[in-house]
Amino acid sequence: SVIAAELVAKDNLFDLEKESVTSLYDLFANDTVYSPQSTEIQSLVSSFKNMTTKMDTEDEAYLEVTKLVKTLSRYLASLSELKQVPTGDEFDDDRTFHRLNISSYLMNVDRPELFQSFICDMYEAYLGKKNYVQAALSLELLANTWEWDIDTYLPGCVKPKLPSQTAFKRKVDLFKIIANNFIKGNKLEQAVDIYTEMLEAYLKFNFDLLGLSVCHTELGKLYAELENVDRLESTFFKIAFIGLGFPESIRGKEFVYEGLPYEHITSVHSRLNRLYPGSRIISNEEEAHKLLNESTIGRFLFIKTVTPKKESHAGKLSFMAKQYVDNKNLNTFINTRRLPGATSITNLWTE
């Protein structure tokens, strides 16, 4: 068989996996020629699994074959799930979720150009919506596909338009675009992080005085702007998407969303109801946790206001410096609620 011949010739199945993943991607991407049905996909996956059950577990090829079968089975499942995502804006995140998942398989078989092409398309789409923060985060995914390598040369890039250059220079140019988008999105703290990482790369991998000068200059501008920026604090909401009616990428999951400054929770209710029509808002947290543990039909949203956890600052900081530190890493959020049984302020307990 093909697998046996590949093992005899190369002692591994990586090349076969690469050809299989790439060919399946081309087949699903070009569905004008032939579009596999879900029943055909399930039949192929079953035949893969049957092949491993017939093998002796002591066979020296067993682990390699099992690994290949598991990879191709999961990959086919992802391709099939992407194909079944309904049309409509509310399922855009689901499409992105599956396409990123598929792209990770392509990266693993040394086909990064397909992953990079998808990320570039995603970046252009966010720019078109003037969503500069998501555009920056998309490009950050792209930049992280390369190392800070001064020896490897890369071909030119169309989106964003970049010339043939070293991997180091490609990352530098992308980081500048990323920082610029963070600035446009009023996320100055993230722009500082980008230039700080670039500065460290120059110091560690490519000691270049001009590059260091650019990093320090841009950091100086950002710190000066942070000292004088006048902005309102955003409101944050923890949102749980409960029920089988939601797209797979968010179903049964909880996220913290950044709202508008001083946005009331009822405004978020209205926005989510427009995006996910037919959803029912749940106000009781115990009921939400119960529904999360069940396979519930329908759409249920549990929303509550949360606040970023502030770090304790040793020493005295100016108000603007404190604001910068507090907004730098928004990873932990808290919510306080009153425990039942209180009759007055003297016996009020919260958690």
Side-chain angles (χ1 to χ4, degrees):
S1 71
V2 174
I3 292 177
E6 191 76 7
L7 281 170
V8 170
K10 301 175 182 176
D11 290 329
N12 64 69
L13 298 175
F14 177 77
D15 286 342
L16 180 59
E17 179 183 332
K18 179 178 179 178
E19 290 299 321
S20 300
V21 167
T22 305
S23 299
L24 286 169
Y25 176 83
D26 292 338
L27 176 64
F28 276 80
N30 187 17
D31 57 6
T32 57
V33 178
Y34 168 69
S35 181
Q37 301 300 310
S38 58
T39 52
E40 295 176 286
I41 296 169
Q42 291 170 4
S43 176
L44 181 59
V45 170
S46 297
S47 66
F48 282 158
K49 292 178 179 178
N50 288 336
M51 179 174 61
T52 58
T53 57
K54 295 176 182 178
M55 291 184 67
D56 186 347
T57 55
E58 299 298 322
D59 190 322
E60 61 181 18
Y62 179 77
L63 291 177
E64 280 286 335
V65 173
T66 303
K67 177 175 173 289
L68 175 67
V69 167
K70 286 181 178 178
T71 298
L72 293 181
S73 297
R74 288 195 294 262
Y75 181 59
L76 277 166
S78 296
L79 288 167
S80 177
E81 287 163 2
L82 173 61
K83 192 176 180 63
Q84 294 172 31
V85 175
T87 57
D89 292 344
E90 65 176 294
F91 293 98
D92 282 350
D93 288 342
D94 215 30
R95 269 185 288 277
T96 301
F97 168 78
H98 287 302
R99 291 187 69 182
L100 281 172
N101 191 27
I102 290 165
S103 298
S104 69
Y105 287 96
L106 296 167
M107 285 288 293
N108 291 337
V109 295
D110 293 338
R111 289 298 305 273
E113 69 278 4
L114 296 173
F115 173 78
Q116 290 156 1
S117 174
F118 166 59
I119 296 298
C120 289
D121 290 342
M122 193 162 67
Y123 166 70
E124 292 289 329
Y126 283 127
L127 273 189
K129 297 176 182 177
K130 298 189 183 302
N131 191 337
Y132 298 113
V133 175
Q134 288 297 334
L137 292 171
S138 300
L139 271 196
E140 202 168 352
L141 281 176
L142 178 64
N144 288 335
T145 61
W146 295 292
E147 302 294 332
W148 294 105
D149 185 350
I150 61 174
D151 298 317
T152 301
Y153 274 82
L154 303 173
C157 179
V158 178
K159 295 184 298 184
K161 189 170 179 59
L162 295 170
S164 175
Q165 57 195 162
T166 64
F168 187 97
K169 188 65 169 63
R170 175 66 53 86
K171 287 198 75 162
V172 166
D173 286 349
L174 287 173
F175 268 40
K176 289 177 181 177
I177 300 172
I178 292 166
N180 187 47
N181 278 291
F182 275 135
I183 293 168
K184 286 182 179 178
N186 201 29
K187 294 296 181 183
L188 303 183
E189 293 84 3
Q190 281 72 24
V192 167
D193 288 343
I194 291 296
Y195 275 111
T196 300
E197 184 177 345
M198 196 191 308
L199 178 66
E200 291 171 353
Y202 272 115
L203 290 170
K204 187 174 181 181
F205 302 106
N206 184 20
F207 193 82
D208 178 74
L209 294 178
L210 183 58
L212 290 169
S213 173
V214 169
C215 292
H216 283 294
T217 300
E218 294 302 323
L219 283 169
K221 291 178 184 176
L222 287 167
Y223 286 133
E225 191 168 349
L226 282 163
E227 183 62 34
N228 296 291
V229 68
D230 184 19
R231 59 182 171 182
L232 301 173
E233 288 193 6
S234 299
T235 309
F236 295 89
F237 302 92
K238 178 183 175 183
I239 303 175
F241 297 88
I242 307 166
L244 299 175
F246 284 111
E248 185 182 348
S249 58
I250 59 174
R251 186 190 309 149
K253 297 175 183 175
E254 298 175 313
F255 302 92
V256 172
Y257 280 72
E258 182 178 2
L260 301 171
Y262 303 116
E263 184 170 16
H264 195 268
I265 194 169
T266 54
S267 170
V268 179
H269 287 174
S270 299
R271 285 202 282 149
L272 287 171
N273 270 324
R274 286 195 299 270
L275 186 58
Y276 303 106
S279 299
R280 178 187 150 202
I281 305 294
I282 300 173
S283 56
N284 186 284
E285 191 162 7
E286 283 72 24
E287 182 184 359
H289 283 304
K290 180 181 177 182
L291 290 172
L292 269 173
N293 294 325
E294 301 172 354
S295 297
T296 309
I297 302 296
R299 292 176 172 180
F300 303 88
L301 289 165
F302 176 69
I303 308 167
K304 68 178 180 181
T305 306
V306 294
T307 55
K309 185 178 180 181
K310 308 291 186 181
E311 297 181 12
S312 58
H313 307 293
K316 294 182 178 179
L317 295 178
S318 69
F319 174 77
M320 302 307 289
K322 183 177 181 299
Q323 189 178 56
Y324 165 71
V325 173
D326 288 339
N327 290 324
K328 185 171 166 44
N329 293 305
L330 294 176
N331 296 321
T332 306
F333 296 82
I334 59 175
N335 170 262
T336 304
R337 66 171 182 166
R338 185 176 66 179
L339 293 174
T343 57
S344 69
I345 192 66
T346 58
N347 62 358
L348 174 64
W349 288 85
T350 62
E351 69 172 1

